[in-house]
Every structure is written in structure tokens, then in C-alpha cells.
Amino acid sequence: MGKKLTKRDEDYSKWYNELVVRADLAENSGVRGCMVIKPYGFAIWEKMQAGLDRMFKETGHENAYFPLFIPKSYLSKEASHVEGFAKECAVVTHYRLKNAEDGSGIIVDPDAKLEEELIVRPTSETIIWDTYRRWIQSYRDLPLLINQWANVVRWEMRTRLFLRTSEFLWQEGHTAHATEKEAIDEAEMIMDLYADFAENHMAMPVIKGVKTESERFAGAVETYCIEALMQDGKALQAGTSHFLGQNFAKAFDVKFATKEGKQEYVWATSWGVSTRLMGALVMTHSDDHGLVLPPKLAPIQVVIVPIYKGLDQLEAISEKVEPLAKELRAKGFSVKYDNRDTQKPGFKFNEYELKGVPVRLAIGQRDMENGTYEIARRDTFEKETVPMDEVVPKIEFLMEDIQKNIYTKAFDYRQQHITEVDSYEEFKKVLEEKGGFIAAHWDGTVTTEDKIKEETKATIRCIPIEGDTTAGHCMVTGEPSVRRVLFAKAY
Amino acid sequence: MGKKLTKRDEDYSKWYNELVVRADLAENSGVRGCMVIKPYGFAIWEKMQAGLDRMFKETGHENAYFPLFIPKSYLSKEASHVEGFAKECAVVTHYRLKNAEDGSGIIVDPDAKLEEELIVRPTSETIIWDTYRRWIQSYRDLPLLINQWANVVRWEMRTRLFLRTSEFLWQEGHTAHATEKEAIDEAEMIMDLYADFAENHMAMPVIKGVKTESERFAGAVETYCIEALMQDGKALQAGTSHFLGQNFAKAFDVKFATKEGKQEYVWATSWGVSTRLMGALVMTHSDDHGLVLPPKLAPIQVVIVPIYKGLDQLEAISEKVEPLAKELRAKGFSVKYDNRDTQKPGFKFNEYELKGVPVRLAIGQRDMENGTYEIARRDTFEKETVPMDEVVPKIEFLMEDIQKNIYTKAFDYRQQHITEVDSYEEFKKVLEEKGGFIAAHWDGTVTTEDKIKEETKATIRCIPIEGDTTAGHCMVTGEPSVRRVLFAKAY
């Protein structure tokens, strides 16, 4: 507390880093690139998990758990996959420590070297498809719809809390299907599910699309994605869903007997979202005062702060507050009554503002006399004095209204930051001066994509599924383009 | 399916291994010592997690997440702790793979050696207390009550599914307190919470006690435990809660300012239960036909199997079954209506018996005519024909009755297998012929404990908290003993 947050327009990046730490979401640990997710941040992640997990189960998926370690030889079985992950992985080479003979301390025991090195999973396709070979024999075993909640490790040189950490938490779905169409349908259904979650739980508008070849997942035939826009005009990939074709089935020899008795390779998808969503949530809604949380994900939805002098007044206030808190909890709201006597109301107001609690109730002597509460909403800072018997419906209204309002605000910002351009000059100008998504024509080649990336740092975020599909000419080469794609600088 | 399970009295160990795999709980993976937890097994673990998580939160704990990796130097800071874990840990030494220059494949990149090796956490005291140093300044920051759900790795040479695996899932609580008494109270409260969970959710009776010095957790001042008895007469440690004194606070220099402004070291506890509980659950209740699951943890509580010829009959049955399934689900029961036409009823009956579904409903033509269902309970195999309008209350009754009945059965077995002995000869005889817990006097020395362990493989499972506290004389040395302790062979 105390010191004010850096403002967004002074230094967006510094604002983010400060906010994540000061709002008690996460902090760096003593282990390079690995974060500690603090209780308040973890409570938000738990709500995300619960929402997603319910949606996965409702669409027929089951959870399971696969090993943390992947033998080096497994990773190598799918050629483009190992290419994609070999450069950034944690390698276990030994299984024992011992006391150094010269008394210099604890050392790795050279006699305990593994025959084959183990990689800490950067993603689990290989270990899972090695397992699916045993699980899948016949069309009766399909579809196989499995999800795993797990930690994964990708060795990152430059890390940022939630956005890019060497270890992160995620879910990874891995499904197996009898036909190509079924697998593609699954991958698309999951993209829709992720978009639904982003928009309706996180109040974060997203654009659905597919990745270009060079941005595809290592081992995928098609990568579907949802892309969000942060308040600094940079895009953030919020979730991906991959149609893997038969690549992993072939690498791990997973065949099934069709109804007609033929042996065929299985079709696959994989898909995931991670604690990166926490970073996206922070950057989509928060302001210079701190976090702004959507009611659906807020660990505390309503905080009640008593304003009093002396314990007699506090006691009288508590008598009014406790039945209200009870009533709200019975309706499923998460309510905190902060009656600490170690902190002043102003301090508490700042703390809950910083932590993004959607609604704050305050009750002081005048309210006690008038039978009222002061209700303040975090998103707009509007305050209102409300008679006690109207508090519950007011809060019910606010929970929905805040959820809607912050979505609309983010949606409007996003819409204002999709710019159509027709020349490369204009592209560079908009990218520099305004940021956001730029809808431009592109000739479909990796060469042009690379040139733009190198010269401007913008990448093709996706080829959108919806929207304008008019053909045109590439802004760089003038070659034909089937439709506009979305460029942006990205996290 | 098909082949019958090995019987318990033929080969208990083989029965267990077969059952875990065939009931779809878990299987070995291609990674030495690491298991795959299959969807059905994971669904049981999720129910355990949900039950425990609720209990932790109700007692004021919050979840957080700490890094997977522990720098070697951290592990070394608490002397007895590193002693306990150094011999069985996975060590990360490199952070990159590369293509071998001779084209022989993917190798560890020798240029990507870590400056300091990282240990995959075998438990998280060290990384957490390194964090707590930053979180704890004053008595206002205490108590700090944190839990983590995580995977941990202890390199095991001989592994068994759930009971002893190199990687396992667990929760680990880590709390910090201002006074010794508060920390001891916490450690004891958690032992009681674990016992409550074991008895009321798992239907598994346990004995609460403390460990002897030589069985204590590496770094603890006192280890509290709950001990269960398996059907083969071997004990299983089902959960431990450690009072850590100021050992970790001193090793990581975690001090707090008292109300009076003095600097003092913090008092600590840690406590955990793991996927080992899955093994305990299987071995406590299951029989020669398969799993027996307590209703509170069963992923499917009621299965409904239609017995029919032709699709017309199936359709008529489904019309009866679906409203019933809906009603039961509305009451919170997990119901599966198995209308697969690829399997015969007999096959389904065997499958759900193997998987331990507590209650099976069958409905055939005669039931359709008479307006009845056949209800079979898994624990006793009792069958009953019940009029349709009595099915719901019957199931409500059975859910409670099966939960109670399997607890009572396990409790009676356990009580019959606590034997008081007064001589070492008798001890060896009972251990050999009957097994179970043996209550005997012991002189309190490590020497005697070691001698007994070496000669009989029995260890002191705990010094019970409750029960007979009469003094006596050690069965081995004749020296004074303050009270009987419990010996057993153990998992």
C-alpha cells in the first residue's frame, strides 16, 4: 500500500509488474523464471479452473493425470514437435545427491546418472500418445476425450509474471477420434468454448481465428486461437486448440479397427489455456487505481467496511451487518466483512480498490441513523446511498451490471483498435501511433510475413473466422490476397 | 474384463496390482516409476481433493502455488531435511537439447548447463520458507495458513501403483505461527481433520498417534500421523502432520516483530496426504470381485442397467428410467444409465462390480409389467425388488447405509487385529500368524526399535494418542515403558 501505482500511460509495463505484486497475485521466486502464485491470485485462478472444468465436463471430457517426465526419445518421435521444444526444456540427468568427499557440501552423485535423460514436460502430446497406443484398439474406444490440469516447464530467458514464466500451470486437452471431420469439429468446438469462457467469465472480448503456418503449434496441421487486445494496444493469444491430423498417431503408432475391421490411424486434437489468462485478465480491465475484476471471477465480490469510533459503535454496526452478510452468502455471493481494528477505513478502501473487489459497502453513524449503506462500484467509482432493504437487490443488479459494463468497455476499446489499412506505409504508421489489430491484405507467403515481422515486430495474430472476407492485394507485394488478416504486436 | 481377478487369499499383492489396472484406476507409464492416473481413478481423487479442500478452507487455509524446482542450496539449508531427501531426488542439470553434430539424434546441449542444479521438489518446505521470509514481518502477518496441491518427485527404486511412485500428487500445508503452542495446536488439528476425512469420507478407520524419533519427518520436532490397517494385516500411514518447531524459520531466517516489538523466530507446521490414499481406499474395502467404493467418493453412485430384447423394449424402458435418473440427479446423486447396445447386461454387471459402483438398478420386462426395479448393493451383494415409487428413498437409505456398513466392517476387522502381547516370542508369533497392529511395551530407545525392525520387519507405527496408557516393561529388554505402542509391518 502507501505508494501510488505507476500510471498506465507513464509506463504500462511497469504498471503491470507493480500491480501483479501489490495486488497479491504473484511474485518472483528465488528460482529463476518461476513465480509464486499468492493466495489472492490463486483464488482467481481456482475460479477460472472451476469454470473451465465444468465446461469441459459438460462437453464430455474427463480428467486424468500423466507423468511429469518425458523420456528424451519420446520427444524426438514427432520431428517438428521436438524442433519446437528442444531449445527451452529442463533436463533431468541424475537421480541422487550426496555429500562431497572433500566436505564441500552436497553435490550431484556422478554414480546416479540416468540411462536416458528425462525432460520436464513442456506439453504432453508425446507421453499421452504413448499411453493412447495402449488404450485405443477399436472404434468402440473412440472418441477419447481427456483433459489434464498440470504444471509445465519451458525454459524462458526473459520472463514476466503470468505472461511468460519458465513454469506455468495450465490445462491440456488431448482427444482421439475416428475421423478427420470429428477431430476438426472438436478443435473448433474447443475454440468456441474458450471464446465463451473468455467473454462470459473473464469479460474479455476475443477474436477467433486460425494461425498461419509459421505461428502454428509444433506438430499441428491447424492451430485455432482466440486473440485478445490489451489496453496498450498489444494483442495476447489467450488460448489455442490444435487439429493434429494423424501426426502423433503415426509417430506413436496408434491405430484402431474400424467398424469394417480395417486398421486406421487415429485423428487427434490438443488444446490448452494457462495461467497466462491471469495476465490477460489484469491487462484487460484494470486501471491506475488497481485491479478491476469481473464479478464472476472475483474471490471477494462484496466487501463491507464499518466506519466507527470505539467498540460500542463497531458492535452496533456488526449487529446490522452480520444478517446482511449472511443473506448475501446464502444467495451465493462471496462477502467479506472487514472489521479489523488495526486499519483505518481509508486504508481498507484503498486496499480493496487495489484488489479489484467489485462492490464495496460502507456503513457509518449517519447510515446507522438513516438505515442506509453507501454502495460503491469498483468499475465506475459511482457511489450511492441505499436503504438497507434495497441492498440485496442492488447487489444482485450490480454483479450483472459490472460484468456487462467491463465487457462492453473492453469491447468498445477493441473495436476502436481494429484498423483497416491498404498500404504498408499506413500499416507502419498505425502500428506506431495507435497500435491494436490491423486488418490488412497479405499474400499468404512466409517470406512476406517474416519481412513484416522483422521490420515492424508485428505478427499475424490470426486469419479471422468471422468478418469481412473480401479478396484484395497484399499491402507489401501487391500479390493477390484471399482476405484480410489481423496483424498486431503481441505479448 | 473376462479373466477373473486373482483372489486376495491367493496373492494379496497380485490382487491389488490387477485390480488397480483392471478397474481403470491407474497403470504404469513408459517412464520408470511414474504412473498414469486413468479417468475413473482420477475422478475418485478429484472427490477426495474436493472433500479435503473444503475442510482446509473451513479451517481458514488458503491455496497458493510455489515453484516445482528447488535450488540445491535451499535443500541443504536444513541439515536433517537434506539428509532425508538427497538420496532419492530428480536433478535438473541442463536447460536445452540440440541436434548432435554427428547426426546421431537429439542430445543434451553441454553449453546449456545450469550454474546451480535444481531439484524437482520432493516436498516444499525449503522453497516455501524462503518465500515466507518475504511475507512475514510482524505478528499481524501471523498465522499464515497455506496449502498447495501439487506433484512431487521422490526417486523410488521399487514402485507400486499409488502406494509408492516416483511422482505422486498430494497436498502440502505449510503454516507459520507466533507461538509454539499455536503451531502444535495446528498440527494436532490437522491430524484430527485427516482422521475425520479418512473415517467419514473414505470409511476407513484410523489410529491417531505420534511417530518415534526414527520415523519422524526429516526436519520435524514431532510427527503426528493417522495409521490404517489393510486387509492383509499390514499397516498404512495415511497422512502426517508435522510440528517443525523453529527449524525452518532458523534455516531461512524468518523472524517476526512481536506486539512488544521483539524479533522472534516463527513456529511452523507442515502436513500432507497424497494419492497413496487411493491405494489405502482400494485395500481397505475391496473384495475378490473388485472395488468396493464408499458412496461419498464413488464417481458413479448408482448405475441403471436395462435388460431388453430389441429396440422397442429398450425405448419403453428408457421412458421409465429417464425421469428416475433425473430425479436422482436433482437430489445430488451421480447416476449412470448404461444403455449401450454393444454389451450384454451380464457384462455390464461384472464391469460395475469391478468398478465398485455402490448401487445397481436393473429393469427388465417383468419389472416393466410389475412396476418394479431390482436393486443390488455392491458391499453385501444383497438384491431386492422394489416398487418404482420406493426407489428414491431406498437409494437415499442405501447411500448412507453402505457408507456406514463398510466403515463398520473395516472397523471390526481393525479391532480384531489389534493384539496386546507381553513377550517378544509372542510378538513374533502374532506378527507371523495373524498380522495387524501389535500393542506392546517398548523401552523408548532407537536401539531396541532397530533390533525389532531388523529381526521382524515390524516398525513402530505410532505412539497412540488415545487408549490404554498403563506403564509396563519393554518386551525385548525388560526396561521400563511408559505405555504400549503399536507395531506392525507396513506399506
Side-chain angles (χ1 to χ4, degrees):
Chain A
M1 303 300 132
K3 221 182 86 206
K4 283 215 165 176
L5 266 183
T6 295
K7 288 195 188 333
R8 285 167 295 171
D9 59 10
E10 281 169 22
D11 186 338
Y12 192 80
S13 173
K14 198 173 164 202
W15 165 82
Y16 173 80
N17 293 338
E18 275 180 21
L19 179 53
V20 168
V21 172
R22 288 172 59 185
D24 281 339
L25 300 183
E27 65 182 30
N28 287 306
S29 75
V31 188
R32 216 194 52 75
C34 295
M35 65 180 159
V36 173
I37 306 179
K38 298 170 83 173
Y40 191 66
F42 201 82
I44 300 172
W45 176 241
E46 278 183 322
K47 291 212 158 198
M48 288 193 184
Q49 283 190 297
L52 285 164
D53 200 68
R54 201 179 318 114
M55 292 166 91
F56 297 150
K57 285 176 177 157
E58 281 167 4
T59 48
H61 302 85
E62 297 180 296
N63 289 330
Y65 189 77
F66 297 87
L68 171 66
F69 298 127
I70 297 180
K72 198 186 63 181
S73 57
Y74 284 32
L75 206 62
S76 311
K77 283 194 181 176
E78 213 286 335
S80 58
H81 191 69
V82 69
E83 238 2 88
F85 291 105
K87 288 181 199 106
E88 47 174 40
C89 59
V91 188
V92 177
T93 56
H94 291 75
Y95 58 84
R96 193 162 61 220
L97 300 174
K98 68 166 194 173
N99 287 303
E101 275 152 32
D102 62 5
S104 61
I106 304 285
I107 60 166
V108 176
D109 186 342
D111 294 337
K113 193 170 185 315
L114 290 171
E115 273 179 48
E116 179 180 6
E117 296 88 352
L118 297 173
I119 313 305
V120 180
R121 62 180 164 220
T123 181
S124 301
E125 278 77 6
T126 56
I127 186 82
I128 287 180
W129 279 86
D130 183 66
T131 308
Y132 283 2
R133 190 179 51 247
R134 294 192 296 277
W135 291 4
I136 299 170
Q137 315 294 333
S138 138
Y139 71 93
R140 284 187 207 87
D141 303 321
L142 298 172
L144 187 57
L145 306 172
I146 303 237
N147 176 61
Q148 162 171 273
W149 290 96
N151 53 344
V152 287
V153 172
R154 297 177 188 177
W155 208 262
E156 298 283 353
M157 284 303 157
R158 295 174 59 188
T159 60
R160 289 188 70 192
L161 293 168
F162 290 125
L163 298 173
R164 194 172 292 277
T165 49
S166 290
E167 181 193 16
F168 56 92
L169 303 184
W170 79 345
Q171 60 68 217
E172 47 182 323
H174 296 271
T175 69
H177 306 265
T179 68
E180 179 175 20
K181 182 180 181 309
E182 248 190 55
I184 292 174
D185 287 350
E186 165 83 7
E188 290 179 350
M189 185 274 283
I190 291 293
M191 173 185 61
D192 290 340
L193 183 157
Y194 284 160
D196 178 3
F197 178 78
E199 302 197 330
N200 295 312
H201 290 246
M202 297 175 66
M204 179 175 80
V206 293
I207 291 170
K208 297 187 278 189
V210 297
K211 290 286 181 191
T212 60
E213 193 188 333
S214 59
E215 297 278 334
R216 233 174 250 155
F217 176 73
V221 173
E222 187 86 275
T223 288
Y224 300 86
C225 63
I226 55 170
E227 295 283 326
L229 192 64
M230 304 296 102
Q231 296 175 51
D232 62 345
K234 283 170 77 177
L236 186 145
Q237 173 181 301
T240 49
S241 176
H242 316 291
F243 167 56
L244 303 172
Q246 295 174 314
N247 292 347
F248 286 90
K250 286 178 180 165
F252 288 88
D253 196 29
V254 186
K255 289 182 186 167
F256 73 104
T258 65
K259 270 190 187 164
E260 296 73 33
K262 270 174 50 189
Q263 288 287 312
E264 282 181 12
Y265 285 112
V266 170
W267 299 86
T269 82
S270 70
W271 29 274
V273 297
S274 74
T275 36
R276 201 158 202 250
L277 288 183
M278 293 286 295
L281 186 72
V282 171
M283 288 200 292
T284 299
H285 304 299
S286 303
D287 63 23
D288 293 346
H289 298 265
L291 289 183
V292 174
L293 293 176
K296 282 197 189 164
L297 296 178
I300 304 166
Q301 294 174 309
V302 180
V303 65
I304 308 176
V305 178
I307 300 167
Y308 63 95
K309 286 189 187 128
L311 288 182
D312 283 357
Q313 284 190 8
L314 177 60
E315 213 169 284
I317 289 175
S318 297
E319 263 175 46
K320 288 277 179 203
V321 167
E322 272 149 19
L324 173 67
K326 205 174 156 188
E327 190 181 346
L328 287 169
R329 287 189 190 114
K331 287 185 176 284
F333 297 115
S334 156
V335 178
K336 178 168 177 175
Y337 174 42
D338 184 352
N339 60 357
R340 284 179 297 171
D341 59 3
T342 47
Q343 310 293 357
K344 296 231 157 79
F347 178 94
K348 294 177 185 176
F349 284 17
N350 285 336
E351 180 174 343
Y352 297 112
E353 225 165 74
L354 184 64
K355 290 195 161 181
V357 175
V359 171
R360 180 188 76 214
L361 265 60
I363 175 166
Q365 279 319 104
R366 192 172 307 164
D367 294 304
M368 287 294 282
E369 284 157 22
N370 299 343
T372 57
Y373 280 92
E374 183 197 75
I375 300 189
R377 55 191 282 176
R378 174 64 183 85
D379 59 339
T380 60
F381 296 104
E382 282 167 329
K383 283 187 214 170
E384 212 178 324
T385 298
V386 173
M388 287 191 184
D389 57 359
E390 290 173 25
V391 168
V392 174
K394 182 75 187 175
I395 285 175
E396 287 173 328
F397 166 78
L398 285 175
M399 288 297 125
E400 288 196 19
D401 199 58
I402 295 172
Q403 186 84 25
K404 265 189 243 163
N405 179 54
I406 65 173
Y407 175 81
T408 304
K409 199 175 156 196
F411 182 81
D412 290 345
Y413 175 84
R414 202 272 312 274
Q415 290 307 84
Q416 288 153 17
H417 288 80
I418 304 179
T419 313
E420 281 194 8
V421 308
D422 290 312
S423 77
Y424 194 32
E425 280 318 297
E426 206 188 338
F427 178 88
K428 286 189 260 191
K429 191 164 179 279
V430 171
L431 191 69
E432 188 62 33
E433 291 173 7
K434 185 180 173 191
F437 290 115
I438 305 182
H441 281 292
W442 161 66
D443 63 14
T445 69
V446 176
T447 319
T448 306
E449 193 180 1
D450 282 351
K451 175 187 156 80
I452 296 169
K453 184 175 177 180
E454 204 168 293
E455 291 175 359
T456 68
K457 289 186 180 147
T459 49
I460 300 178
R461 302 315 306 151
C462 69
I463 305 163
I465 306 250
E466 289 152 5
D468 180 16
T469 53
T470 318
H473 292 276
C474 176
M475 64 172 172
V476 177
T477 63
E479 294 294 315
S481 152
V482 291
R483 63 161 299 161
R484 289 176 192 272
V485 299
L486 290 182
F487 290 86
K489 289 189 192 169
Y491 279 94
Chain B
M1 299 300 131
K3 224 184 83 209
K4 282 213 164 177
L5 267 183
T6 295
K7 288 194 187 331
R8 286 166 295 172
D9 60 9
E10 280 168 22
D11 187 337
Y12 192 80
S13 172
K14 199 173 164 204
W15 164 82
Y16 173 80
N17 294 339
E18 277 181 19
L19 179 53
V20 167
V21 172
R22 288 174 56 186
D24 281 339
L25 301 182
E27 64 182 31
N28 286 306
S29 75
V31 188
R32 217 194 52 76
C34 294
M35 65 181 159
V36 173
I37 306 179
K38 298 170 83 173
Y40 192 66
F42 201 81
I44 300 173
W45 175 241
E46 279 184 320
K47 291 212 159 198
M48 288 192 183
Q49 283 190 296
L52 285 164
D53 200 68
R54 200 179 320 114
M55 292 166 91
F56 297 150
K57 284 177 176 154
E58 282 167 5
T59 48
H61 302 86
E62 296 179 296
N63 289 330
Y65 188 77
F66 297 87
L68 171 67
F69 297 127
I70 297 180
K72 198 186 65 182
S73 57
Y74 284 32
L75 205 62
S76 310
K77 282 193 180 176
E78 214 285 334
S80 58
H81 191 68
V82 68
E83 248 346 282
F85 290 104
K87 287 182 201 103
E88 45 174 39
C89 58
V91 188
V92 177
T93 56
H94 292 74
Y95 59 86
R96 195 163 59 221
L97 300 174
K98 67 168 195 173
N99 286 304
E101 277 152 31
D102 62 3
S104 62
I106 304 284
I107 60 165
V108 177
D109 185 344
D111 294 336
K113 193 171 186 313
L114 290 171
E115 273 180 48
E116 179 178 6
E117 296 88 353
L118 297 173
I119 313 306
V120 180
R121 63 182 163 217
T123 179
S124 302
E125 278 76 8
T126 57
I127 187 80
I128 287 180
W129 280 86
D130 183 66
T131 308
Y132 282 2
R133 188 178 51 248
R134 293 192 296 276
W135 291 4
I136 299 170
Q137 315 294 334
S138 135
Y139 70 93
R140 284 187 207 88
D141 304 320
L142 298 173
L144 186 58
L145 306 172
I146 304 239
N147 177 60
Q148 162 171 275
W149 290 96
N151 53 345
V152 288
V153 171
R154 298 178 188 176
W155 209 261
E156 298 282 354
M157 285 303 158
R158 296 173 60 187
T159 60
R160 290 188 70 192
L161 292 169
F162 291 124
L163 298 172
R164 195 171 293 275
T165 48
S166 289
E167 181 192 14
F168 55 91
L169 303 184
W170 79 346
Q171 60 68 218
E172 46 181 325
H174 295 272
T175 70
H177 306 265
T179 68
E180 179 175 22
K181 181 179 180 310
E182 248 189 56
I184 292 174
D185 286 350
E186 165 83 7
E188 290 179 350
M189 186 274 283
I190 291 292
M191 173 185 60
D192 290 341
L193 183 157
Y194 284 159
D196 178 2
F197 178 78
E199 302 197 330
N200 295 313
H201 290 245
M202 298 175 64
M204 177 175 80
V206 293
I207 291 170
K208 297 187 279 189
V210 297
K211 289 286 180 190
T212 60
E213 193 187 333
S214 58
E215 298 278 334
R216 231 174 251 155
F217 176 74
V221 174
E222 187 86 276
T223 289
Y224 299 86
C225 63
I226 56 170
E227 295 282 327
L229 193 65
M230 304 298 101
Q231 296 175 52
D232 61 346
K234 282 171 77 176
L236 185 145
Q237 173 181 299
T240 49
S241 176
H242 315 293
F243 166 57
L244 302 173
Q246 295 172 312
N247 292 347
F248 286 91
K250 285 178 181 163
F252 288 88
D253 195 30
V254 186
K255 290 181 184 168
F256 72 102
T258 64
K259 270 190 187 167
E260 297 74 31
K262 270 172 54 186
Q263 287 288 315
E264 280 181 15
Y265 285 112
V266 170
W267 298 87
T269 81
S270 70
W271 29 275
V273 297
S274 74
T275 34
R276 202 159 203 247
L277 287 182
M278 293 286 296
L281 186 73
V282 171
M283 289 200 290
T284 300
H285 304 299
S286 303
D287 63 24
D288 294 346
H289 298 264
L291 288 183
V292 174
L293 292 176
K296 282 197 190 166
L297 297 178
I300 304 167
Q301 293 174 311
V302 179
V303 65
I304 308 177
V305 178
I307 300 167
Y308 64 95
K309 285 190 189 129
L311 285 181
D312 283 356
Q313 284 191 9
L314 177 59
E315 214 169 284
I317 289 176
S318 296
E319 263 175 44
K320 288 276 179 205
V321 166
E322 271 149 20
L324 173 67
K326 204 174 156 188
E327 189 181 348
L328 287 168
R329 287 190 190 115
K331 287 184 176 283
F333 297 116
S334 157
V335 178
K336 178 170 178 174
Y337 174 42
D338 185 351
N339 59 355
R340 284 179 296 172
D341 59 2
T342 47
Q343 310 293 356
K344 296 231 159 76
F347 178 94
K348 295 178 184 174
F349 285 17
N350 285 336
E351 180 175 342
Y352 298 112
E353 223 165 78
L354 185 63
K355 290 195 164 181
V357 174
V359 171
R360 181 189 74 215
L361 264 60
I363 174 164
Q365 280 318 103
R366 191 173 306 163
D367 295 304
M368 287 293 282
E369 285 156 22
N370 299 342
T372 55
Y373 280 91
E374 183 196 76
I375 301 189
R377 55 191 282 177
R378 175 64 185 86
D379 59 338
T380 60
F381 297 102
E382 283 167 328
K383 284 187 214 170
E384 211 176 324
T385 297
V386 173
M388 288 192 184
D389 58 357
E390 289 173 25
V391 168
V392 175
K394 183 72 187 178
I395 285 175
E396 287 174 326
F397 166 78
L398 284 175
M399 287 298 124
E400 287 195 20
D401 199 57
I402 294 172
Q403 186 83 27
K404 264 189 240 159
N405 179 54
I406 65 174
Y407 175 82
T408 305
K409 199 174 156 198
F411 182 81
D412 291 347
Y413 175 85
R414 202 273 309 275
Q415 290 308 87
Q416 287 153 19
H417 288 81
I418 304 179
T419 313
E420 281 196 8
V421 308
D422 289 312
S423 77
Y424 194 32
E425 280 317 299
E426 205 187 340
F427 178 88
K428 288 188 259 193
K429 193 164 178 286
V430 172
L431 191 69
E432 189 61 34
E433 292 173 6
K434 183 179 173 191
F437 290 116
I438 305 182
H441 282 291
W442 160 65
D443 63 15
T445 68
V446 176
T447 319
T448 305
E449 192 180 2
D450 282 351
K451 176 187 157 78
I452 296 168
K453 184 175 177 181
E454 204 167 294
E455 291 174 0
T456 68
K457 291 188 179 147
T459 50
I460 300 178
R461 300 317 305 156
C462 71
I463 305 163
I465 306 250
E466 289 151 5
D468 180 15
T469 53
T470 319
H473 293 275
C474 176
M475 64 172 171
V476 177
T477 62
E479 294 295 314
S481 152
V482 290
R483 63 160 297 160
R484 289 178 193 272
V485 299
L486 290 183
F487 290 85
K489 288 186 191 171
Y491 280 95

